[in-house]
Amino acid sequence: MNRLDGAEPIDPSCLIAHIHIPKTAGMAVQTVLKEHFEPHTHLQWNKAAENWKELTDGKEYSGSLITGHLPFPQLFYPGFSSERPIYCVSVIRDPLQRVISLYNYNRSLRHPNHERFSARFPSIDDFIKAKSGKDNVRNQQAVWLCGSRTNPDVLCEVLNAHYIGLTTQGYLADYLTKVLKLCGKTAGEVTVPTVNTLQKIKSGGAVGRDDIDPVVLEKFFQDNWLDDLLYKTVSEHLERNATPDTEMTAQGVRQVRKSTLARVKQTVKRLLRN
């Protein structure tokens, strides 16, 4: 967090690379960044790595910002070189909430294959169990950020060397305000837009943590221990040193209330069955 906290200077000639991990409010982040960095490139969502290589293979990228679903290892692909320093920005999320959001999103009308997805994974337990233990889904956020799946030391080295800190969804405005100020773009407080809201789910409603079997939940956290450790570490730092977004705080309160109400309803149903 040294750069984000102002302990290390930012080279004004730098390139900003937004590592957009899916389902981490990345669209809101890129909306703000694209307003302040020109020229910029929004990499193609389904082939960001190929798009980035086309732009830089054998030549220097002249823009100020790239944003898209480009994992860090594909940013610095073999043979890539740049005369300018590159600083990465990214948002992480509670790993369980991210998977829940992904499951709900894939079942919503916004997703083009929602019917096929719902038929394949009737419950979130089915979705988590199908992915459990697979290398390409364990600790996905750590993989996106540095490529290391199991080594916290390597993760920390990459973050300290290449990133302007990290943030979680509840501190987006504070994070982006600091990033833009460090880059000499603006000193004013950033307003983060609300984008990509969940649309109607055709097959049932949105699910939450209480809908996951405890055994499945335990296995999930075993598989994603590094993501969980990273999220908790960053969250603790932000709680001590950053200002939470008012709207996100309110959403958190509503989410807790909703979760509590769901548990009460489940308890009542269980008592009625008995």
Side-chain angles (χ1 to χ4, degrees), residues 104-112 114 199-202:
N104 286 329
Y105 168 73
N106 285 341
R107 293 164 58 240
S108 76
L109 297 182
R110 182 181 293 276
H111 195 276
H114 61 273
Q199 292 187 357
K200 181 180 178 181
I201 296 176
K202 189 173 181 180

Side-chain angles (χ1 to χ4, degrees), residues 142-191:
V143 171
W144 273 77
L145 293 171
C146 82
S148 171
R149 287 186 167 84
T150 60
N151 192 328
D153 292 334
V154 172
L155 176 59
C156 288
E157 288 174 8
V158 172
L159 294 177
N160 289 327
H162 297 281
Y163 283 76
I164 307 180
L166 290 175
T167 190
T168 63
Q169 289 182 305
Y171 295 85
L172 290 180
D174 185 271
Y175 178 71
L176 290 170
T177 298
K178 290 179 179 178
V179 168
L180 293 174
K181 185 176 180 179
L182 285 169
C183 294
K185 297 298 180 180
T186 179
E189 187 172 337
V190 171
T191 299

Side-chain angles (χ1 to χ4, degrees), residues 80-248:
F80 171 80
S81 64
S82 175
E83 295 181 0
R84 294 189 295 163
I86 300 176
Y87 300 122
C88 300
V89 298
S90 193
V91 183
I92 59 172
R93 188 174 184 178
D94 176 285
L96 180 62
Q97 291 303 320
R98 178 175 171 271
V99 167
I100 291 172
S101 177
L102 180 62
Y103 181 71
N104 286 329
Y105 168 73
N106 285 341
R107 293 164 58 240
S108 76
L109 297 182
R110 182 181 293 276
H111 195 276
N113 297 320
H114 61 273
E115 291 185 343
R116 186 168 61 186
F117 181 89
S118 296
R120 183 180 178 189
F121 304 111
S123 74
I124 190 168
D125 285 347
D126 296 320
F127 181 59
I128 293 175
K129 284 189 288 188
K131 307 295 183 182
S132 180
K134 292 186 178 179
D135 282 345
N136 64 333
V137 292
R138 284 185 298 182
N139 298 307
Q140 261 194 344
Q141 294 180 95
V143 171
W144 273 77
L145 293 171
C146 82
S148 171
R149 287 186 167 84
T150 60
N151 192 328
D153 292 334
V154 172
L155 176 59
C156 288
E157 288 174 8
V158 172
L159 294 177
N160 289 327
H162 297 281
Y163 283 76
I164 307 180
L166 290 175
T167 190
T168 63
Q169 289 182 305
Y171 295 85
L172 290 180
D174 185 271
Y175 178 71
L176 290 170
T177 298
K178 290 179 179 178
V179 168
L180 293 174
K181 185 176 180 179
L182 285 169
C183 294
K185 297 298 180 180
T186 179
E189 187 172 337
V190 171
T191 299
V192 181
T194 300
V195 296
N196 202 21
T197 56
L198 184 66
Q199 292 187 357
K200 181 180 178 181
I201 296 176
K202 189 173 181 180
S203 303
V207 303
R209 182 187 182 113
D210 294 332
D211 297 298
I212 304 173
D213 183 276
V215 175
V216 175
L217 197 61
E218 182 179 3
K219 183 64 167 63
F220 174 84
F221 281 110
Q222 288 174 357
D223 288 340
N224 295 278
W225 66 272
L226 184 55
D227 274 7
D228 189 47
L229 176 61
L230 175 65
Y231 177 78
K232 289 176 178 175
T233 302
V234 172
S235 295
E236 288 173 3
H237 177 88
L238 292 172
E239 287 170 7
R240 292 193 303 269
N241 299 282
T243 304
D245 297 354
T246 304
E247 184 175 345
M248 289 301 298

